[in-house]
Amino acid sequence: MATGFFWDEKTFWHAGGNYAMTLPLGGLVQPLAAGGLPESPETKRRFKNLIDVTGLSAELDMRSAAPASREELLRIHPAAYLDQFKATSDTGGGELGHHAPFASGGYEIATLSAGLATQAVRDVLRGDLTNAYSLSRPPGHHCEPDKPMGFCLLANIAIAVEAALAEGRAKRIVILDWDVHHGNGSQACFYDRDDVLTISLHQEGNYPLDSGHLAERGAGAGEGFNLNLPLPAGLGHEGYLHAIDHVVIPQITAFAPDLIIVACGYDCAAPDPLASMQAMAATFRAMTERMKATAEDVCDGKLVVVHEGGYSEVYVPFCGHAVLEAMSESSVHAPDPLERNLKARQPNARMLAFQKQLIDDMATELGI
Ligand code: ZN
């Protein structure tokens, strides 16, 4: 068995609107030469190109998938939202939420993006693949059931989780979100549920602004099954691994899931234009190695990684390559061209005392 890699060229054809970074064009905001949203297809296409050029993709099981079905979408999204999204997509595209524009045909591409994640989960749970990566685009972790946000139009991972539960392939699932922004969509989908543990590591107060607080622990039956770690800007390699080792892994192990899904955003990397963290490709490799080992300990190695954010066109491919190297235990490497530079310039590759204290204080407050 191999590591699966789910992708489809059509997802690279999703187009956003007229933005520069996240600023609408107009006034003194000059259009970018490349145009469009920072959620550009180039980060993903260059990632796919890199694994082809190094030869890593030849070791993976490369697959596409069918779009998520209406029945699958309806487990998360209200019919009214899906109908409005489809109708707008059929008539030239538009914007139905906050920073989540789409062009004509955006609905079909979004259902394909969700379908890639759903099939990746299905194929891992049925034992057809060792583990799997879904290069989903548009991303999903900000999308709430009736509210698209932050470049996310459908809740890809939540849709995949519901399919796995409905098909009887799993009873308990962990979603670990290390995208630098809060995984508010996954949180909203499962906030009152005890069969899905949602964990989000994110830069405090980045996006959404008033979201992802430590005190948001779940409601009703879901009390205690939602975990937010709002992290200080500037956190780097050692700090992320400290949070993973001392907070995340004990929580996952205690929950004893049948599957671990990682909402894998690369925007906590140092060069990212939409955040202020200092992770490196080596950080993503190390975090993935830890999740692989944890999955082997608790759920027979069942691990699915779903692509979320990450806006450095140059650097995301190297971080993604490192994740895939760890998942597949490949010896095909893509040396990080920035690592020496980042380590030399940015002392936050080391963990500073106040950063450790903040994480340890949060763990104490959470009773970990
Ligand atoms: Zn993000």
Side-chain angles (χ1 to χ4, degrees):
M1 286 205 299
T3 292
F5 186 85
F6 290 76
W7 76 287
D8 196 301
E9 172 67 26
K10 273 179 264 177
T11 67
F12 302 153
W13 294 23
H14 164 58
N18 294 317
Y19 289 85
M21 298 280 284
T22 55
L23 302 174
L25 298 185
L28 295 178
V29 182
Q30 181 181 332
L32 297 172
L37 285 175
E39 199 292 289
S40 145
E42 281 307 285
T43 51
K44 283 83 176 176
R45 189 179 270 123
R46 289 171 67 119
F47 173 24
K48 166 67 171 47
N49 288 343
L50 183 65
I51 65 174
D52 287 344
V53 166
T54 62
L56 179 57
S57 59
E59 296 184 3
L60 307 175
D61 194 329
M62 308 294 280
R63 300 181 179 192
S64 184
S69 68
R70 172 102 176 165
E71 182 187 6
E72 288 168 336
L73 301 175
L74 281 169
R75 295 195 186 108
I76 291 292
H77 299 288
Y81 170 61
L82 296 175
D83 292 344
Q84 190 186 13
F85 182 8
K86 175 81 166 76
T88 310
S89 166
D90 285 348
T91 51
E95 162 85 82
L96 299 175
H98 182 250
H99 284 147
F102 54 93
S104 178
Y107 180 84
E108 282 71 26
I109 296 175
T111 60
L112 177 56
S113 179
L116 294 173
T118 301
Q119 194 63 38
V121 165
R122 184 177 289 125
D123 287 353
V124 167
L125 284 175
R126 70 181 187 179
D128 195 38
L129 294 165
T130 306
N131 48 38
Y133 191 101
S134 176
L135 184 52
S136 290
R137 178 175 188 270
H141 76 141
H142 290 309
C143 186
E144 299 184 1
D146 60 353
K147 187 177 173 194
M149 303 173 55
F151 320 138
C152 299
L153 294 160
L154 294 171
N156 301 329
I157 289 177
I159 291 162
V161 163
E162 290 288 21
L165 297 171
E167 292 166 14
R169 299 181 197 276
K171 289 190 166 61
R172 297 161 70 78
I173 295 176
V174 165
I175 302 170
L176 167 62
D177 188 325
W178 65 48
D179 186 287
V180 81
H181 306 105
H182 176 225
N184 61 293
S186 304
Q187 172 173 308
C189 291
F190 301 111
Y191 202 62
D192 58 357
R193 297 259 297 266
D194 62 2
D195 54 348
V196 181
L197 171 63
T198 47
I199 305 174
S200 179
L201 308 185
H202 46 268
Q203 183 185 336
E204 181 174 25
N206 186 315
Y207 182 88
L209 275 178
D210 187 20
S211 176
H213 303 293
L214 189 68
E216 297 164 12
R217 296 301 321 276
E223 178 75 41
F225 295 92
N226 185 77
L227 184 65
N228 287 319
L229 280 190
L231 299 168
L235 196 72
H237 182 80
E238 289 183 4
Y240 266 94
L241 296 186
H242 183 69
I244 295 278
D245 288 342
H246 293 271
V247 179
V248 173
I249 291 176
Q251 290 292 295
I252 293 177
T253 303
F255 184 71
D258 304 313
L259 169 71
I260 298 171
I261 302 178
V262 176
C264 183
Y266 297 100
D267 35 17
C268 52
D272 195 273
L274 297 191
S276 311
M277 305 305 239
Q278 305 292 341
M280 304 178 290
T283 316
F284 293 97
R285 179 185 288 105
M287 293 196 295
T288 305
E289 285 169 350
R290 282 160 166 77
M291 282 308 104
K292 186 171 189 291
T294 304
E296 283 161 4
D297 284 345
V298 301
C299 52
D300 200 22
K302 297 196 183 308
L303 172 69
V304 174
V305 177
V306 180
H307 200 108
E308 295 285 355
Y311 306 99
S312 169
E313 293 177 13
V314 173
Y315 200 55
V316 164
F318 292 93
C319 298
H321 200 285
V323 166
L324 288 171
E325 286 173 37
M327 292 178 73
S328 62
E329 298 182 22
S330 175
S331 57
V332 176
H333 293 305
D336 177 354
L338 282 180
E339 181 170 307
R340 192 157 161 258
N341 206 329
L342 292 177
K343 280 183 170 169
R345 281 201 321 227
Q346 293 167 350
N348 288 0
R350 302 190 305 273
M351 181 165 48
L352 306 180
F354 85 94
Q355 295 171 332
K356 179 175 186 300
Q357 193 62 51
L358 280 168
I359 293 168
D360 290 347
D361 286 351
M362 284 192 274
T364 303
E365 204 165 322
L366 292 166
I368 296 167

